[in-house]
Amino acid sequence: MLPAKSLAWGQSKSCIRELAAYGSARKTEIGAENVFDFSIGNPSVPAPACVDKALRELLSGDSLAVHSYTAAVGLPGLRRAVAEDLRARCGVPFEPEMVYVTCGAAAGLASCARALMQPGEEAIAFAPFFPEYRVFVEGAGGVLVTVPPTEALLPDLDALEQALSEKTALVIVNTPNNPSGVILTADCLRRLGQILSDAQQRFGHPIYLLSDEPYRELVYDGQAVPCVADFYDNSVICYSFSKSLSLPGERIGYLAVGPRMEDRQAVFSAIAGAARASGYVNAPSLMQRVIERCIGATSDVSVYRRNRDLLLEGLTACGFTCVPPDGAFYLFMRAPESDAKAFSERAKKHELLLVPSDDFGLGGYVRIAYCVSEDTIRRSLPAFRALAEEYGLC
Ligand code: PLP
């Protein structure tokens, strides 16, 4: 008999997937140019030139070597490059031996959940959060506990203190955030670190902080993303090249265990074991070699910044209320009625595909993925205006 949990995941609904499927069908019906599809976080900026260059060089070389198995944990040169890059970015002395190369952030998150939690233990996530956290945590036999945000959509740390329990094994943060674009400030991380340190003492066991950072370089107006390992020793960074290098289909990222974590060797082994048990060994060999040559490069972020500005200005002028995003490529907009799903349905009538926020653990908003062409944004603004008029916003 199939396990009940697997059946439940198979049948569970995802607004994002449903909207994307609706969008594909609608584009066939009325033409892609007539549908304003803001549903999916697929990068709209090409990978930087160094990626193509590296691919060409690699593919004109020794085919057997390029496509061979690598060490399960990743190529030594790439692990070294990642540790150096992290060191240069945040001044924390990350070690190559503590870098595990993964098949994207999804594999990293799922492996961490399996490695760092016992069945029945709890992981805490702050709303709004990436919906897959629930699946990864439940897949590890754990329970996802959610904490609401403050008005500014930062983690509500007073609520975190209430949510922590003897069963807490893991706390997950995401900065910059999908779906809100909010960056966790140094002040927020400092207090979070203090709260977790106190809780570890109180409960007498480690609580690991997993920082999911696939949008780390997609930041605007001179912002930077503070490094969690600077504020809390029991930190693990989960990274992906899906967004920063526009390579989501290539499935490549890494986990980096904090250099000040006392039991880091055991934690790294547990991560490697969990990844192995899930079949996530040996991230794509060709991509590992590409990334080794391109570490530190980023797609052209100015394109996303222009899109953000255009959309933010246009929507505000229509009377909508938005959270100005500091990073990632999502705009979180307040739904002008309490039911975000109903608002998203109404937006569809204007061919606007906006994801209701309920899947992210918070009601009352929609997520607008602005990783689309500038032309799509410009042409969508009259549709947004017509929608705003229906609600008497302008
Ligand atoms: N974490 C967040 C916050 C994301 O938005 C995504 C993808 O959209 C992922 C993780 C998964 O990234 P990857 O494509 O590397 O598996």
Side-chain angles (χ1 to χ4, degrees), residues 103-106 109 130 133 174 178 212 214-215 240 242-243 248 251 330:
C103 306
L109 294 164
F130 183 53
Y133 294 164
N174 170 215
N178 170 11
D212 181 24
Y215 303 93
S240 163
S242 293
K243 317 289 176 169
R251 316 310 303 134
Y330 306 106

Side-chain angles (χ1 to χ4, degrees), residues 364-379:
Y365 291 82
V366 286
R367 185 192 77 173
I368 306 174
Y370 56 81
C371 40
V372 296
S373 71
E374 189 178 320
D375 179 58
T376 300
I377 294 183
R378 286 192 191 282
R379 288 186 306 103

